[in-house]
Amino acid sequence: MAKTLLEMKNITKVFPGVKALDNVNLVVEEGEIHAICGENGAGKSTLMNVLSGIYPYGTYTGDIVYDGEVCKFQKIKDSEAKGIVIIHQELALVPLLSIGENMFLGNERGSKAKINWPETYDKADSLLRMVGLKDSSKTLIKDIGVGKQQLVEIAKALGKSVRLLILDEPTASLNDTEAKHLLDLLLEFKKQGMTSIIISHKLNEVSYVADKITVIRDGSSITTLDKKKDNFTEDTIISAMVGRSLTDRFPKREPHIGEVCFEVKDWNVDHPVFDGIKVCDHINFNLRKGEVLGISGLMGAGRTELAMSIFGHSYGTNISGHIYMNGKEVSFPNVKAAIKNKVAYVTEDRKGNGLILTESISKNTTSANLSKVSKHYVINFDEEKKYSQEMAAEMHTKCASVDEDVGNLSGGNMQKVLLGKWLFAEPDILILDEPTRGIDVGAKYEIYCIINKMVAEGKSVIMISSEMPEILGMCDRIYVMNEGRMVAEMQGKDATQEKIMTCIINSGKGE
């Protein structure tokens, strides 16, 4: 019989106005991969923050029993000393430091007086090989992609003699190939006796890698499924997560598509740092009224760069080309001009570029359209609160009140505030960049319903997504982008994952 490595008993955690965890129980056996699933705001990350000492003993009730010992962690270093290492969804790496410097930051090799750099980089290189990275440990973090950064975090954990590795949404920003590599790495670590806890909304990945799944709903542990005994289907997991079966992932919509309302012609954008690199290369596309238009492609294809450069030249240099709205040429030299012309952009980076985390839900909601809640440049705070409450209700945002700081919300609820902010700007054209990244199936469905409601009103949506089922399930028409170019266009009803991937593979620059 397998040994119990971790037991969390009756964990309760209360924030002002919110009971985040309510008598949650979790049992993890040594050498297993244990998944934690639940909707956004269910309490998954809060539970792991309790375990790792981010929320210290005394700020919660209940017991943590690890390796047979009751633990009362006061800080994260206490849990790391026991071999418990957490990797958060938002990676904690310093872009302008090298891989090696990041890996041993706070855990330096050498003496207190002097860092042993040869030992640092030799050890870092050795750990990088263990996770399958061939990059030099002297490479700066900013010069490697997100997929490699995730592996650096895992290598960093290995340097702390990890026994229990906790990963919070580890594949949220990865493409399919990178995600598969990471999951296979966890399976390899399992063979070596390591225990892992993974939080993920990608249920196909959970089913692939996990031995057991604990489902948390509204701050309570609902059930634990065992792959050896129970049905591990996505429908079973979803039913436990949302408290009901979700028969259709994508809400039905009867398209009513009109004339072309937005058109981009001969659009060119150069990389803002590296000379001679063209991130958008003579791009042409159009959008119709009442249409959900998908832009598909692999990570690095230039989709985000295209969207940001259109939205007020927010990215790139030497931008050239033409934009037409309802047949008339327009120009968006800055974000203010784009908003004025009823164009909005929901960024993929909600924490970095989308929201002001230290400000309230209310202030974030109205920030893109302050004229609606002000007169003579004076904000009417009663009006601001009223509109924010209405938007929060429409978006089903879970919060104590709209006066709560956005930074206190779960990722899915942050995403709802971000979407609400741009809906409050009353756009005719809404560009959504990875709109459901890192959020659960229930919240995704709610966002899809909002998209359908927008296009039913005659507005138009451009959806950029790395999730192929989302593109296929939501879009009326799809453009395929690769290496800075539009390489294919197809009707949504005719599109398949195989067709899209074939277009990408057959569209090399040299052709």
Side-chain angles (χ1 to χ4, degrees), residues 478-481 486-490 503:
I478 300 166
Y479 283 99
V480 182
M481 194 169 177
M486 291 297 188
V487 298
E489 176 189 354
M490 59 189 77
C503 292

Side-chain angles (χ1 to χ4, degrees), residues 123-143:
K123 180 66 173 173
D125 284 329
S126 173
L127 293 168
L128 290 177
R129 300 300 170 265
M130 290 176 67
V131 299
L133 271 181
K134 297 179 181 177
D135 297 74
S136 166
S137 60
K138 294 181 180 179
T139 305
L140 297 184
I141 288 293
K142 72 178 183 64
D143 294 330

Side-chain angles (χ1 to χ4, degrees), residues 341-365:
N341 280 276
K342 298 289 187 180
V343 176
Y345 169 63
V346 177
T347 175
E348 64 175 342
D349 182 9
R350 56 181 171 250
K351 285 190 173 182
N353 296 326
L355 298 165
I356 306 169
L357 302 183
T358 55
E359 290 288 1
S360 67
I361 295 168
S362 184
K363 290 190 185 308
N364 274 278
T365 299

